[in-house]
Amino acid sequence: MSHCKFEQPRHGSLAFLPRKRAARHRGRCKAFPKDNAANPPHLTAFLSYKAGMTHVVRDLDRPGSKAHKKEIVEAVTVLEAPPMVIVGVVGYIETPRGMRALTSVWAEHLSEEVKRRFYKNWYRSKKKAFTKYASKYADAGKEIARDLERIKKYSTVVRVMAHTQMNKVRIGQRKAHIMEIQVNGGTIAEKVDWAREHFEKTVSVSDVFEKDEMIDVIGVTKGKGVEGVTARWGTKKLPRKTHRGLRKVACIGAWHPSRVMYSVARSGQDGYHHRTEANKKIYRIANGSDDTSAKTEFDITRKAITPLGGFPHYGEVKEDFVIIKGSCVGVKKRVLTLRKSLRTHTKRSALEKVDLKFIDTSSKFGHGRFQTKDEKKAFMGTLKKDLAANN
């Protein structure tokens, strides 16, 4: 028989119900790391854009493993993360029903890309967002200073409002992504002063994260549309001769109770779900415009992280980028939230110092053979198109 007659583990997890389309496109931080006043003020999250994947070679440092001190090949994901601009600060107070926003303070000047976020149709709008608010800075900013003092006096949590710079990434969008990022470290007054000092200034991803750090990636998965029970829940296919189809659930419940239980696998939306992936190790933080960003101590070839022909469906990485181990949620160009880990890591794999020996930059269209344009030209020689270009 092709099935278990009496009992078996259920197909699919009920932990992620309801399996419907995410309410928001950008991954939302529902929690931030625990604060420690002994540290200086710092941000706890950052926004990035998924560029694509490649592979790296490194020596494994894991005593007891059969692969200890041997070369291993690992898949990695490249996330482009241009500097973010801090444009505001918000203070929260604790209430019996949770956190409540006390007041918000915005910067005097906001760029067009962040103003677009406040309009449904920028083309038809009058583009007057924040023109009245900017007048608060006219009288030496007395009203602004009063709001900042209120935050210092009453708030228990301080978060800054930061947005991405869309003119630095080529994803076909001009409306900036904006999010609240919690400021940890120092006293409340120090947090507010830090936020005020950084108004209209940029913060780079290297100021938030560092190499070998474990982070969490929050985003929306790749959408698959409406799927049946076999693809959506992984249920067993029925025997070949089954009447009216075999990619079905044979029995969806008993006669009584005369309704379908919520736990029964049904067809519906698959993918485009909000998910948080924990414990992604950072292998490298560098700048894509640097022609040595993919260079290592063992591979001294001058090459940038962008593979030959660019990342498929993305293009070239020209700004700051982060290389993380393994895969992550979302399609190319999807905005992903990188957050400092909520856990204290003690595992050897989490504390391991990674030293990359090789980063692959061959073409991701088909089976790439060459790491650089010069290597390809030296192998192929002068081509007909080269002669045509010279003439």
Side-chain angles (χ1 to χ4, degrees), residues 94-370:
E94 291 182 8
T95 70
R97 290 176 293 179
M99 308 295 289
R100 180 179 72 82
L102 176 69
T103 187
S104 301
V105 177
W106 293 83
E108 184 177 2
H109 304 102
L110 300 182
S111 63
E112 180 190 296
E113 53 193 1
V114 71
K115 286 182 181 177
R116 283 175 178 268
R117 176 56 60 182
F118 307 122
Y119 289 97
K120 196 74 174 175
N121 191 329
W122 174 257
Y123 171 73
R124 293 182 182 277
S125 69
K126 295 182 179 179
K127 306 175 178 57
K128 292 178 67 66
F130 281 87
T131 50
K132 288 185 179 179
Y133 189 90
S135 62
K136 292 184 178 182
Y137 283 88
D139 55 342
K142 292 180 181 178
E143 192 174 345
I144 298 295
R146 189 177 71 244
D147 287 342
L148 291 174
E149 287 301 320
R150 281 187 66 210
I151 296 175
K152 289 181 181 180
K153 186 175 181 181
Y154 298 109
S155 295
T156 55
V157 172
V158 176
R159 295 176 183 169
V160 297
M161 289 171 280
H163 72 84
T164 57
Q165 300 184 77
M166 303 309 295
N167 59 346
K168 293 185 179 293
V169 286
R170 304 290 187 270
I171 65 168
Q173 180 175 321
R174 289 184 284 182
K175 183 187 294 188
H177 291 103
I178 186 168
M179 74 171 292
E180 288 184 7
I181 304 175
Q182 188 161 306
V183 181
N184 279 1
T187 62
I188 296 298
E190 289 172 342
K191 295 181 206 287
V192 176
D193 291 338
W194 185 92
R196 180 66 181 89
E197 290 166 8
H198 286 77
F199 273 12
E200 301 176 32
K201 295 180 181 177
T202 59
V203 177
S204 65
V205 68
S206 58
D207 298 331
V208 181
F209 302 113
E210 58 187 13
K211 183 179 172 291
D212 298 325
E213 187 176 351
M214 300 291 278
I215 63 171
D216 300 338
V217 178
I218 307 169
V220 176
T221 63
K222 184 187 295 186
K224 306 292 181 65
V226 175
E227 290 280 13
V229 288
T230 304
R232 194 182 187 213
W233 293 96
T235 56
K236 181 76 75 175
K237 286 170 65 177
L238 300 178
R240 181 184 61 83
K241 296 181 71 174
T242 306
H243 185 47
R244 290 181 180 167
L246 47 83
R247 297 173 65 90
K248 296 172 179 289
V249 174
C251 177
I252 60 172
W255 192 329
H256 291 289
S258 54
R259 52 191 167 272
V260 180
M261 296 286 286
Y262 78 98
S263 57
V264 176
R266 307 290 272 162
S267 62
Q269 172 67 30
D270 190 26
Y272 203 76
H273 305 309
H274 187 277
R275 294 289 181 265
T276 301
E277 284 191 296
N279 303 339
K280 297 289 183 182
K281 196 178 186 73
I282 295 179
Y283 278 0
R284 174 168 291 194
I285 298 177
N287 190 282
S289 60
D290 182 7
D291 62 353
T292 61
S293 57
K295 181 180 174 183
T296 66
E297 186 181 348
F298 295 88
D299 179 22
I300 58 174
T301 308
R302 296 182 70 87
K303 56 181 183 178
I305 191 63
T306 304
L308 283 179
F311 282 103
H313 305 287
Y314 188 86
E316 297 182 2
V317 173
K318 297 182 179 179
E319 297 295 326
D320 295 342
F321 67 87
V322 179
I323 296 180
I324 62 171
K325 179 184 176 182
S327 61
C328 68
V329 299
V331 294
K332 314 295 187 299
K333 301 183 181 179
R334 174 118 340 142
V335 59
L336 299 174
T337 304
L338 310 181
R339 182 188 63 190
K340 285 184 175 289
S341 181
L342 304 182
R343 306 167 184 172
T344 302
H345 294 280
T346 56
K347 283 190 175 181
R348 189 184 295 157
S349 59
L351 303 176
E352 179 184 357
K353 299 296 180 184
V354 173
D355 189 16
L356 300 181
K357 297 181 74 172
F358 172 77
I359 302 173
D360 182 59
T361 56
S362 63
S363 174
K364 303 305 169 191
F365 287 92
H367 301 282
R369 293 195 297 170
F370 308 105

